[in-house]
Amino acid sequence: LDGKAFNLADEKGKVVLVVFWASWCLPNAAQVEWLAQAQEANRERGFRIVGINLDAAQDGGQKLETVMPNIRRFVLDHNVRWPNLVNGSGDHDYAKAYGIADIPANVLIGRDGTVVQVDLSRRNIGAVLTRALGQ
C-alpha cells in the first residue's frame, strides 16, 4: 500500500503469517488486535505478518483507485502495522496462488518456506506459533 516492493522470499528463515482480508469484512477487523499482539510478542523470535487485501476482487472486480480509499482507511482506523499488498491478477493473484476462496483466511509459512498451518485463530495461534518458532 505504501508503494514499497515486498518479496516474501526476503522473509525466508522467518515464520510468516499471510493474512487475506477485506475492508468490508467485519471478522477481519476483529482479528487485527490479536494478530498485532501475537506479532509484538513474537517479533524477536522471527515472526512476521503480511496482509493481502481482496477489496478489488469484490463483486467480480473493482478498480484499484475505487477501493484504495477504503483499504487505506481500514489500515489507519485499525492501526495495522504490517506490510499489506493488494491482490491483483496473473502473477499478482496471491489468493489464487494460496487457494483462498473465502475470507477471513490466513496461511502460516514456516522458516523453510513451507505451509505450516491454515486458518489460525485466536484460540490456537499461541500453540501453533510456539511450535513453528521452535520454542
Side-chain angles (χ1 to χ4, degrees):
L1 295 180
D2 61 7
K4 294 179 185 175
F6 180 86
N7 187 342
L8 188 59
D10 294 341
E11 301 298 321
K12 189 162 184 163
K14 297 179 179 118
V15 174
V16 180
L17 183 64
V18 182
V19 178
F20 294 88
W21 66 278
S23 64
W24 44 264
C25 181
L26 292 178
N28 288 143
Q31 287 181 333
V32 173
E33 182 181 345
W34 60 265
L35 288 174
Q37 290 170 355
Q39 179 175 319
E40 190 61 34
N42 296 287
R43 175 182 294 282
E44 305 233 345
R45 297 189 301 165
F47 177 58
R48 302 290 186 268
I49 298 174
V50 62
I52 307 289
N53 177 274
L54 301 175
D55 278 25
Q58 184 180 14
D59 299 330
Q62 302 285 320
K63 291 184 179 184
L64 187 56
E65 57 270 11
T66 302
V67 297
M68 193 58 83
N70 295 336
I71 297 168
R72 285 201 166 102
R73 175 59 40 211
F74 182 96
V75 168
L76 290 171
D77 286 350
H78 297 284
N79 195 26
V80 177
R81 291 169 277 181
W82 46 81
N84 280 278
L85 308 167
V86 177
N87 198 65
S89 59
D91 289 346
H92 299 282
D93 191 344
Y94 312 114
K96 182 178 179 184
Y98 283 95
I100 303 300
D102 295 313
I103 55 172
N106 57 62
V107 177
L108 186 67
I109 301 171
R111 294 184 191 277
D112 63 356
T114 62
V115 173
V116 173
Q117 178 92 19
V118 177
D119 289 333
L120 290 175
S121 68
R122 183 178 215 149
R123 283 187 317 250
N124 71 1
I125 193 167
V128 172
L129 285 180
T130 297
R131 281 194 310 273
L133 292 166
Q135 300 168 3

